[in-house]
Amino acid sequence: MEQMRKRETGIVRSNRETARGHYVIEVELPGLFGVVNPGQFVMFRPGAGETPLLSRPFSVCSQTETGETTKIELLYRVVGAGTARMASLRQGDTVNVLGPLGRGFDMDEGRRVILVAGGVGVAPLISYADRRRAQEEGGRVRIIAYVGAADEESIAGVDRLEQYCDEVKIATDDGSRGFRGTVTELFRTDVEHHEKTASAVRACGPRAMLSALADVLDGHDIVCQVSMEERMACGIGACLGCAVRVRLNDGSVGYRRVCKDGPVFDMEDIDWHED
Amino acid sequence: MKTDGAKRPNMAVSIGRLMLKNPVITASGTFGYGEEFAPYLNLDRLGGMVLKGISENPRPGNPPPRIVETPSGLLNAIGLENVGIDAFVTEKAPFLETLDTTVIANIFGESADEYARVADKLTGVKCVDALEVNISCPNVNRGGMDFGADPEQAAEVTRAVKEATDLPVIVKLTPNVTDITAVARRVEAAGADALSLINTLRGMSVDVYTARPRLANVTGGLSGPAIRPVAVLMVWETVQAVSIPVIGMGGIMNARDALEFLIAGARAVEIGTANFVNPAAVLDIIGGIERHLGDAGVDDINDIIGTLDCRRK
């Protein structure tokens, strides 16, 4: 019989602001927690208090196993009451963590990979790049990352990406660092080149960014997987709250659960023209 | 393990002819068809499980966003997404047959006839022990709350379902009415074996930065601790108005919350939103009720039910 899983109690080891409004929280969990595949997520809430009521989903940015315990890092941006409460957590505080959950990225898509990240969408791509680099066998993997942010102060996680990537290209809305414009506009300038050389694209970010990326890739022969975001209540496929509209095989559209059928989907499966 | 030799209290309750091993049931729409929760708890420990609402044909549900958290609550407009009765029977029922707990199918229709057809089809399905009739969903265009808010139509659906099945029929009531006891009495007179209440309260939330509703469906149904006092009141009023058993629900997060409903007269409780916060929440609630009985020196859960004392001191 499959081993029973449970919501674990973790301890906050650190919680610091690394870019304006962006935090990295490090949580220590029991060693039985399990190995997180890049792109998988956890449901997270503070251990004390009844606010927020529900857990929040976060992609896991990194995992370090130390025998008896495992440590995970989550990168998050403060956007509402739940993440504001999260930012107030201190070293030693207890938290509830359910996971790892969902479907992560396919990991065997060739030797030249492009990452496209918007804002905190960089989190699962850090995990992806780390794992690809750690599992290099029979030849080096070339990883090129494109990262978008509002401005220089709010670029999160780039130092981590640079550890694993051959090249990291940055776009900011106001041009305060790197390319002035969106990350998908920056990627568009290189797409013809990548089509000839790259084997796959992995992307995560706001829906508008992913939708723009779908437009850029339209007509180009590069496979792409995207990690989708939606509000969730349970994280395990029961509440049907995190619906995302997809194209079905018969040409019609239907809904899939971001938590269980995703959060990683093949780009061509998502119905990007949703209102 | 430490044992003090004390006898464990009796936790079994009856809802008419439906016997439950304990009074804690998972609520419809919050527990899927059970399978999603199997990795997190032994489902045989449950008093019962109410399945996600089943309609005659598959329903795609509402566009996203479908949920948003509000103070001490969860506002949802899922829209009764479900696989439909035929796929339920072939894809979901076989797993449920392996379980040793009471399985209650929640049924939904857009007409009294559709309710009756779904009830009829489920009556032959081995794993289904009872039906809960959803006349109270606030998030669908036709059916649902339209029936539950009108005593006459609520009675009509109840009669149609009773004629179509010999399974125990529990009718789930909406709180979105002026007087829930008026609906409760008519449903009882139409032959319902039990009542369950409350479904979600209608609600709405606005994003002030975009001036848009925070649910694509604009309105939703509110669950969670925010609605608990409303639910306790309605259960208490309904218990006094009818003689059939009442199952109470609304924002139960722990054993103390569950006991509120039992003391107010509910014969069992349903747990909903709490399952989202912790998939094993029902086990904590069952254990907590047992401990409460032990601490109070009560050896049978039935001796707690309906003991509310409203006399002035």
Side-chain angles (χ1 to χ4, degrees):
Chain A
M1 189 179 157
E2 190 189 351
Q3 188 196 326
M4 287 302 256
R5 304 178 65 182
K6 68 184 173 86
R7 187 179 72 159
E8 298 288 357
T9 299
I11 297 167
V12 176
R13 286 302 171 211
S14 66
N15 189 19
R16 59 190 194 284
E17 189 171 12
T18 58
R20 194 183 59 227
H22 293 70
Y23 290 72
V24 174
I25 190 168
E26 186 184 29
V27 176
E28 188 173 301
L29 292 157
L32 289 170
F33 187 72
V35 175
V36 183
N37 296 319
Q40 284 191 301
F41 69 101
V42 296
M43 293 298 284
F44 177 98
R45 76 184 297 280
E50 294 185 349
T51 309
L53 176 65
L54 301 168
S55 302
R56 298 286 186 271
F58 296 98
S59 285
V60 176
C61 185
S62 77
Q63 181 177 32
T64 323
E65 305 220 50
T66 55
E68 295 290 292
T69 64
T70 187
K71 267 193 233 163
I72 60 168
E73 278 185 317
L74 311 176
L75 169 66
Y76 64 100
R77 182 166 70 99
V78 174
V79 289
T83 43
R85 169 85 180 88
M86 192 169 170
S88 74
L89 290 168
R90 297 279 168 263
Q91 184 179 357
D93 286 347
T94 61
V95 295
N96 299 133
V97 181
L98 185 67
L101 302 168
R103 173 198 177 203
F105 289 108
D106 289 347
M107 296 303 291
D108 55 358
E109 292 274 15
R111 304 209 171 278
R112 287 180 72 91
V113 183
I114 310 299
L115 311 180
V116 183
V120 286
V122 72
L125 300 178
I126 291 171
S127 171
Y128 177 86
D130 179 8
R131 188 70 58 87
R132 285 304 305 268
R133 199 55 86 209
Q135 292 181 343
E136 278 177 336
E137 279 165 22
R140 199 168 182 287
V141 179
R142 183 163 169 79
I143 308 174
I144 300 169
Y146 293 78
V147 178
D151 53 34
E152 185 171 23
E153 278 70 47
S154 52
I155 302 169
V158 162
D159 51 333
R160 301 289 292 277
L161 263 188
E162 282 171 341
Q163 290 177 37
Y164 312 116
C165 296
D166 297 279
E167 196 177 350
V168 178
K169 296 188 171 190
I170 291 171
T172 52
D173 295 342
D174 66 354
S176 52
R177 185 169 164 192
F179 177 83
R180 182 190 184 110
T182 67
V183 68
T184 47
E185 286 164 358
L186 173 60
F187 175 71
R188 187 196 298 274
T189 62
D190 296 341
V191 68
E192 308 284 345
H193 169 70
H194 290 318
E195 185 176 20
K196 295 188 196 100
T197 55
S199 44
V201 177
R202 299 284 179 262
C204 183
R207 187 185 169 97
M209 182 211 105
L210 297 176
S211 182
L213 181 63
D215 283 342
V216 171
L217 287 173
D218 190 31
H220 293 282
D221 183 26
I222 312 178
V223 294
C224 179
Q225 285 190 322
V226 294
S227 178
M228 302 297 292
E229 191 176 48
E230 189 51 69
R231 291 183 205 142
M232 288 180 192
C234 72
I236 60 173
C239 74
L240 310 182
C242 60
V244 60
R245 204 153 81 158
V246 297
R247 299 172 188 157
L248 303 176
N249 289 335
D250 63 3
S252 66
V253 294
Y255 293 112
R256 290 289 178 268
R257 301 163 297 181
V258 171
C259 71
K260 193 84 175 181
D261 305 310
V264 173
F265 293 87
D266 293 346
M267 176 165 258
E268 64 211 39
D269 290 343
I270 302 290
D271 178 25
W272 296 105
H273 302 293
E274 185 181 356
D275 289 328
Chain B
M1 200 162 113
K2 193 180 127 189
T3 55
D4 56 10
K7 209 171 136 235
R8 292 181 72 165
N10 171 55
M11 287 283 279
V13 297
S14 64
I15 307 293
R17 60 197 160 100
L18 190 65
M19 309 300 283
L20 307 180
K21 61 175 78 172
N22 66 62
V24 182
I25 305 167
T26 55
S28 183
T30 69
F31 214 70
Y33 299 99
E35 220 163 348
E36 292 84 353
F37 284 78
Y40 298 98
L41 71 160
N42 178 359
L43 297 172
D44 292 347
R45 295 274 309 279
L46 300 177
M49 181 195 305
V50 185
L51 307 176
K52 172 73 181 166
I54 301 165
S55 51
E56 188 168 34
N57 299 308
R59 294 178 58 96
N62 288 329
R66 293 177 171 185
I67 58 169
V68 62
E69 183 168 332
T70 55
S72 296
L74 169 62
L75 196 60
N76 90 78
I78 307 299
L80 283 171
E81 175 179 340
N82 82 99
V83 295
I85 176 87
D86 293 335
F88 166 75
V89 171
T90 55
E91 293 167 21
K92 309 292 182 184
F95 170 76
L96 294 166
E97 275 170 27
T98 66
L99 302 179
D100 178 24
T101 187
T102 301
V103 173
I104 302 168
N106 180 288
I107 65 170
F108 170 80
E110 294 187 356
S111 67
D113 285 346
E114 186 184 343
Y115 278 99
R117 288 194 298 272
V118 177
D120 177 53
K121 276 197 174 178
L122 284 169
T123 302
V125 179
K126 205 169 116 194
C127 66
V128 176
D129 299 307
L131 301 179
E132 182 179 70
V133 185
N134 180 1
I135 55 166
S136 43
C137 178
N139 297 325
V140 289
N141 287 330
R142 280 173 297 169
M145 211 181 82
D146 290 349
F147 294 110
D150 175 14
E152 196 52 52
Q153 291 191 58
E156 187 193 333
V157 170
T158 305
R159 271 193 300 272
V161 172
K162 279 297 287 183
E163 281 170 19
T165 186
D166 53 9
L167 291 169
V169 172
I170 303 159
V171 178
K172 186 171 181 178
L173 303 184
T174 174
N176 300 301
V177 290
T178 308
D179 179 8
I180 199 168
T181 63
V183 183
R185 277 190 290 260
R186 293 298 298 274
V187 167
E188 179 184 35
D193 297 288
L195 302 173
S196 59
L197 57 137
I198 60 175
N199 205 320
T200 54
L201 276 162
R202 292 189 74 211
M204 183 168 168
S205 179
V206 173
D207 183 331
V208 299
Y209 299 106
T210 60
R212 293 186 58 81
R214 294 172 79 196
L215 295 178
N217 190 55
V218 184
T219 64
L222 182 64
S223 66
I227 72 166
R228 192 167 60 239
V230 177
V232 173
L233 167 66
M234 289 190 168
V235 165
W236 178 66
E237 287 180 331
T238 303
V239 163
Q240 295 168 85
V242 299
S243 50
I244 53 178
V246 171
I247 301 170
M249 79 191 91
I252 297 173
M253 303 303 287
N254 54 46
R256 188 192 55 212
D257 300 342
L259 284 158
E260 275 199 61
F261 284 85
L262 296 169
I263 290 167
R267 297 202 59 80
V269 292
E270 291 184 21
I271 313 300
T273 305
N275 299 316
F276 299 154
V277 181
N278 180 1
V282 278
L283 297 189
D284 294 345
I285 293 169
I286 294 165
I289 294 172
E290 283 178 340
R291 275 194 302 280
H292 175 85
L293 295 180
D295 293 348
V298 176
D299 59 13
D300 188 335
I301 183 73
N302 291 284
D303 294 340
I304 288 272
I305 292 169
T307 55
L308 184 72
D309 181 356
C310 295
R311 289 173 302 176
R312 291 176 190 227
K313 295 246 172 180

